[in-house]
Amino acid sequence: MAVLVTGASSGIGYACAVRLAAAGREVLVHGRTPERAERAAGSVRGEVDGARVVPVHADLSSLAAVRALARTVGRLDGLVNNAGLFAGNDVEHERRVSADGHELHWAVNYLAPFVLTGLVDAPVVVNVVSGMRASLRWDDPGLVEGWDRVVAYGQSKLALTMFSVELAARAPHRSVFAVNPGYVDTRLVRESFGGAVNSADSGARWVAAPLLPGFTGTSGGFLDAGEWSAPPPLAADPGARARLWELTGTQLDSTVPG
Ligand SMILES: NC(=O)c1ccc[n+]([C@@H]2O[C@H](COP(=O)([O-])OP(=O)(O)OC[C@H]3O[C@@H](n4cnc5c(N)ncnc54)[C@H](OP(=O)(O)O)[C@@H]3O)[C@@H](O)[C@H]2O)c1
């Protein structure tokens, strides 16, 4: 069986795929398109002798594509929900929506991992979250009023963190971790903030850790830039997590995770 790493065409996801392949894991290298997935898989093979990598693709801004990806991958050892979007300086600072009509950060950073995790059989789940966490706009999660990219990104990552903790509680047969890789130098950071000192691989180290030998974390844990930390208040609040789960269910017509 294999580990699926989403967003492995770049940055932390690519570095995570290299780490896992180097440790002998079979890695499903996900890219947005077949070409990007093939290119990333080829690069991993170039870096790691004998790497076992399989390219898979899906545009995660489409829930139909997320479901198709889940059907493609079959049973897994692990799932790394890494792919993520932060509207950068190179694109218009304006609200965009997914193929399904959801605000784009909410769709790619939160709904896609929620649905993918629900559909694939993976005993270990790693959700890549962030230190940037806005609060949740319960009455307007799509940010129809007053869209702001920091709020859009921050609430999508907070929602993913809440999902991690809640899934761990609802699915005791799974080990689920929210991992903030820290502030590291990737395309996302370069395009938005100009760069960072630490390498993508330094963040990938924490993202890959739950899938490598010697890891001792407890399901539901929050690994914040290499330190086990209390989750943010809303993620620690069972009532808020249940409310988010219910809200998410009303936004989706798919099976919810378990
Ligand atoms: N870098 C940091 O300091 C930092 C800190 C905290 C959290 N994170 C999180 O780390 C994760 C990885 O980001 P990164 O920093 O490594 O940035 P990155 O190099 O820009 O990588 C982002 C990855 O997500 C993929 N992706 C984005 N939208 C997609 C879509 N609609 N469908 C399929 N794939 C899509 C990208 O694919 P393409 O190559 O096709 O665009 C790329 O592979 C993100 O979830 C990010 O929020 C990063």
Side-chain angles (χ1 to χ4, degrees), residues 52-203:
R52 294 184 295 143
V53 287
V54 179
V56 294
H57 69 275
D59 183 338
L60 301 176
S61 67
S62 155
L63 291 174
V66 173
R67 293 185 183 113
L69 174 64
R71 285 193 296 275
T72 307
V73 299
R75 282 186 70 204
L76 299 168
D77 284 323
L79 167 64
V80 181
N81 285 311
N82 163 78
L85 161 85
F86 180 58
N89 294 331
D90 60 330
V91 296
E92 292 294 313
H93 281 195
E94 61 185 18
R95 184 178 179 273
R96 288 182 291 158
V97 295
S98 69
D100 308 283
H102 301 289
E103 193 280 327
L104 201 57
H105 295 79
W106 188 255
V108 174
N109 298 355
Y110 173 57
L111 292 179
F114 186 101
V115 170
L116 187 60
T117 306
L119 293 176
V120 299
D121 183 357
V124 181
V125 178
V126 178
N127 291 313
V128 180
V129 301
S130 171
M132 270 173 72
R133 293 182 295 264
S135 196
L136 265 177
R137 291 260 192 95
W138 291 106
D139 53 347
D140 181 21
L143 305 177
V144 175
E145 299 295 329
W147 181 89
D148 173 275
R149 71 183 179 133
V150 173
V151 175
Y153 179 82
Q155 78 158 7
S156 71
K157 290 295 181 180
L158 173 60
L160 188 60
T161 310
M162 294 168 74
F163 167 61
S164 275
V165 179
E166 184 64 12
L167 181 63
R170 290 183 187 229
H173 58 290
R174 295 179 123 176
S175 293
V176 189
F177 303 97
V179 178
N180 170 22
Y183 187 63
V184 300
D185 192 39
T186 65
R187 195 185 63 213
L188 182 151
V189 160
R190 282 193 295 277
E191 289 179 354
S192 302
F193 306 107
V197 172
N198 293 326
S199 69
D201 183 58
S202 69

Side-chain angles (χ1 to χ4, degrees), residues 3 16 20 25 77-80 124-126 207-213 215:
V3 177
C16 177
L20 294 173
R25 307 303 298 258
D77 284 323
L79 167 64
V80 181
V124 181
V125 178
V126 178
V207 173
L211 294 150
L212 293 175
F215 182 74

